[in-house]
Amino acid sequence: MVTPGSQPMVVRIRPAKELWAINKIPGTYSEQVALSRDIPCEHSILGMFSEVKFPVPWGHVAAKAWGSAEGHPVLCLHGWLDNANTFDKLIPLLPRDCYYVAMDFSGHGLSSHRPAGCPYHFLDYVSDVRRVAAALQWRRFTLMGHSMGGAVAGMFCFLYPEMVDKLILLENLGFLLAPEDTEAWLESKRLVIDRLLSLEAKQQTPRARSPEAALQRAQDGLLVPYKLDTRNHFVKDLRKAFESTLKEHIQLIEVPGSHFVHLNKPEVVSGIISNFLTAQNTRARL
């Protein structure tokens, strides 16, 4: 399927029978540490590859590279509990004028695990892809994903359509949002990733504020009515939904103070909470 403009061309491949990934296939290793397109990974035979590592805050993201770094860039994404070796038999059969990089997602293959206790969310895998693309200085490239990697590739295309020229999905249908959710989701998720990578790139010491300035910023709570229209439409909608759904089962009480009123002036809320805890009839107004 070909679509005009900046939208990527999508090819979906779904075999009649499931094909299991074959891992740990021998190859020719030439270990490299790479941050740009100057990676010396030029091979005349696509059966030969080089190992690449990209630094990240928790360690590194490992990858394998085939072909000349001057070729058309293709980033390959493996599936759940798999690794970059899943593409070892496929890539040698593909066009030789491309530069193929198969990455290991965090916690997979030779890539570093995230810190203990940190979950592995799909959006984190999308961040991994964005980091690798930035390290390679790729502005526009092809994405090929298998299984979970296809879902990550689809999500990346949703967030960064201008960076992907073609999308190849193996045993996956990609990623799709309901039309009414698309705009808000794209804006919020892309902002999260871009800000995170920007902060990591700057590596600056967090700015310290004076006690007076900090006090001024903690001046009002987050749910102050006059702020809802300009700062948080989600909270405003949530409040309306609660009120319309729960009706007499919910009581919203406004008190003077800041976001930390429970800490700075606990007596303001202690009576309200105490009355609710000791009330026999929870429908009684506080």
Side-chain angles (χ1 to χ4, degrees):
M1 179 175 66
V2 181
T3 55
S6 62
Q7 298 300 320
M9 180 179 74
V10 180
V11 176
R12 294 187 176 95
I13 301 176
R14 186 176 180 85
K17 297 175 63 178
E18 181 178 4
L19 298 179
W20 290 92
I22 301 176
N23 299 325
K24 298 183 179 178
I25 301 173
T28 302
Y29 288 78
S30 175
E31 188 162 345
Q32 307 286 340
V33 178
L35 287 176
S36 70
R37 291 198 58 171
D38 297 328
I39 305 171
C41 299
E42 300 185 8
H43 300 300
S44 58
I45 303 177
L46 285 181
M48 302 173 65
F49 58 84
S50 295
E51 283 193 317
V52 187
K53 292 182 179 180
F54 305 98
V56 293
W58 59 92
H60 67 269
V61 169
K64 300 169 69 173
W66 290 260
S68 168
E70 300 303 317
H72 178 75
V74 180
L75 188 59
C76 308
L77 310 179
H78 64 76
W80 183 60
L81 297 183
D82 203 349
N83 58 61
N85 290 336
T86 196
F87 296 104
D88 279 359
K89 285 192 172 182
L90 173 61
I91 289 179
L93 304 178
L94 301 181
R96 297 187 179 186
D97 57 349
C98 293
Y99 180 45
Y100 302 93
V101 176
M103 58 180 284
D104 287 329
F105 286 123
S106 296
H108 294 71
L110 300 180
S111 290
S112 301
H113 288 259
R114 294 187 181 275
C118 292
Y120 290 79
H121 295 298
F122 263 53
L123 198 62
D124 295 324
Y125 294 136
V126 175
S127 298
D128 288 348
V129 174
R130 187 67 182 86
R131 285 186 174 93
V132 170
L136 291 166
Q137 298 182 5
W138 287 358
R139 295 186 176 181
R140 192 163 172 83
F141 55 94
T142 295
L143 268 176
M144 178 166 63
H146 169 250
S147 190
M148 182 191 79
V152 174
M155 189 177 293
F156 186 91
C157 287
F158 251 79
L159 291 170
Y160 299 96
E162 76 280 3
M163 296 187 67
V164 182
D165 59 0
K166 297 178 182 179
L167 174 63
I168 304 170
L169 300 175
L170 304 166
E171 275 290 277
N172 191 275
L173 295 178
F175 177 77
L176 185 65
L177 286 172
E180 63 271 17
D181 299 330
T182 301
E183 185 175 353
W185 190 91
L186 291 178
E187 182 179 356
S188 62
K189 302 306 181 185
R190 178 164 177 160
L191 185 64
V192 167
I193 295 176
D194 289 347
R195 283 187 174 178
L196 176 62
L197 269 62
S198 177
L199 288 173
E200 291 176 2
K202 292 178 181 178
Q203 295 183 339
Q204 294 178 345
T205 303
R207 181 174 55 176
R209 298 183 183 275
S210 67
E212 295 77 14
L215 182 61
Q216 182 63 34
R217 290 175 64 89
Q219 187 65 35
D220 292 315
L222 295 179
L223 306 183
V224 177
Y226 75 84
K227 287 186 176 181
L228 296 185
D229 290 332
T230 58
R231 294 186 56 186
N232 202 328
H233 292 286
F234 173 76
V235 173
K236 181 182 179 182
D237 294 340
L238 186 63
R239 176 172 176 168
K240 287 183 177 180
F242 273 133
E243 291 176 327
S244 63
T245 303
L246 298 177
K247 298 179 180 178
E248 73 274 10
H249 297 285
I250 186 173
Q251 298 179 43
L252 299 177
I253 303 174
E254 296 179 11
V255 298
S258 69
H259 183 55
F260 291 94
V261 64
H262 68 287
L263 176 63
N264 299 329
K265 296 181 179 180
E267 64 278 4
V268 173
V269 295
S270 61
I272 299 172
I273 297 173
S274 297
N275 290 340
F276 182 70
L277 291 174
T278 58
Q280 296 300 317
N281 180 8
T282 56
R283 294 191 180 185
R285 308 304 294 180
L286 300 178

